[in-house]
Amino acid sequence: VIALRAFLRFAEANEWCAPGLAARIDAPRIYTHERLPRGPRWEDVARLVAEPARPSPSDIRDRAILLLHAVYAFRNSEVISLRLSDIDWQQETICVWRPKQQKRQCYPLVPEVGEAIIQYLRQVRPKHICPQLFLSLLQPYRPMTTTGLSTMVRIRQRGLGLVLPGYGPHSLRHACATRLIAEGFSLKEIGDHLGHTSTEATQIYAKVDMPALRQVASMDLASLVDYAARLEADAASGDSETGGQR
C-alpha cells in the first residue's frame, strides 16, 4: 500500500493519472503488538555462535559480533559504533551508546564474549588506528557497515538451514528477549537490558511468556462470573427499592 501510494503521487505529479487517487487507498488495520516476536530458537542461536573447529579470520570476527547480538541484544548500529575504548578489561565491562536514550549503557563483560573479542583482536583485527572495534578484513581497512553486518548475519543463519520469519541481527535481539522471558526476568528488567526507552516497547514479549499465560488461562472464571452476577443483582435490587434513583 505504501509503495502504491508513493507511485500514484509520483504519477499525479507527472499528470499520468487523475488527482487524489493516492489518498483514496486505505491501508489495512494493523494492531499494536499484533504479531509475535520473530526470532530463532535459543538452540539455533547456540549453533550460530558455536566456535568452529578450524575457524577462518571471518569466522573469528563474525562470532564475536554474533555473541554481542545474542547475549546483549545490541542493535546493528550499536555494534557498528563500538570502539576499542568501550571495553574496560580491568573492570570487565562493555559500554554501548544508546542512540534512542542518548546515553551510554554498561554491561558486565561475559567471559565467553570477552574471550571471543580477545581472539579477534589478537589474531584477526588489522593493526589500524581506526577506533572502531570491528573492521573489514581486506584493504583498505575501514569500519564495518550496517549493511555488511546485516548481510553477514543473514548468510550465516541461512547457512545453518534456519527457516525464520525474518533474518538478520534484529532476530537475535528477539531471541535474547524471549530467552530472558523464559528465565523468569520481568518485563522491566528485559526492557532495561534491551535499552528500551519505555515499557510499551517491551510489552510484545508478554505474548511469548507461556508460564504466565498458562496462569491466566487457569484462573477460576466461574467464580468471577458469579461475583459479577451478584453485584448486578444487588444493583437491580437497590434500584427497585429506591424507585430507580440509584
Side-chain angles (χ1 to χ4, degrees), residues 8 10 16 31-32 41 89 97 105 126 150 208:
L8 289 177
F10 175 76
W16 296 348
Y31 294 93
T32 304
R41 299 178 306 168
W89 297 105
W97 173 255
Q105 185 172 357
S150 296
V208 296

Side-chain angles (χ1 to χ4, degrees), residues 80-97:
I80 292 298
S81 64
L82 278 175
R83 295 171 174 256
L84 294 169
S85 57
D86 290 330
I87 303 176
D88 188 330
W89 297 105
Q90 292 185 342
Q91 299 297 324
E92 296 184 349
T93 60
I94 181 170
C95 298
V96 65
W97 173 255

Side-chain angles (χ1 to χ4, degrees), residues 133-209:
L133 176 60
F134 295 107
L135 305 180
S136 61
L137 300 179
L138 300 177
Q139 296 185 8
Y141 300 124
R142 58 196 180 279
M144 291 188 67
T145 63
T146 55
T147 301
L149 194 150
S150 296
T151 301
M152 178 274 292
V153 177
R154 288 196 295 268
I155 289 175
R156 290 192 175 273
Q157 287 176 326
R158 289 194 172 100
L160 291 178
L162 303 183
V163 180
L164 304 173
Y167 297 85
H170 210 71
S171 67
L172 298 179
R173 183 173 168 85
H174 286 317
C176 177
T178 304
R179 178 172 179 264
L180 293 177
I181 281 282
E183 294 291 331
F185 288 88
S186 67
L187 291 179
K188 175 63 169 61
E189 292 171 322
I190 295 172
D192 291 342
H193 185 76
L194 298 180
H196 285 163
T197 56
S198 68
T199 56
E200 294 182 0
T202 319
Q203 290 176 359
I204 187 173
Y205 295 107
K207 297 169 65 175
V208 296
D209 186 1

Side-chain angles (χ1 to χ4, degrees), residues 19-109:
L21 287 180
R24 298 177 185 177
I25 298 178
D26 294 330
R29 183 183 295 272
I30 299 177
Y31 294 93
T32 304
H33 307 320
E34 176 180 319
R35 299 181 177 89
L36 287 172
R38 302 178 299 175
R41 299 178 306 168
W42 194 249
E43 295 81 1
D44 293 329
V45 175
R47 292 170 52 206
L48 187 67
V49 301
E51 186 175 5
R54 295 181 179 179
S56 65
S58 61
D59 290 335
I60 294 174
R61 182 199 61 184
D62 295 350
R63 180 171 181 265
I65 294 174
L66 293 169
L67 282 169
L68 291 172
H69 284 305
V71 175
Y72 299 107
F74 286 168
R75 298 179 179 91
N76 201 4
S77 60
E78 294 167 348
V79 173
I80 292 298
S81 64
L82 278 175
R83 295 171 174 256
L84 294 169
S85 57
D86 290 330
I87 303 176
D88 188 330
W89 297 105
Q90 292 185 342
Q91 299 297 324
E92 296 184 349
T93 60
I94 181 170
C95 298
V96 65
W97 173 255
R98 295 291 193 185
K100 293 187 177 182
Q101 296 178 333
Q102 289 296 298
K103 67 177 184 180
R104 283 166 59 85
Q105 185 172 357
C106 295
Y107 297 82
L109 186 59

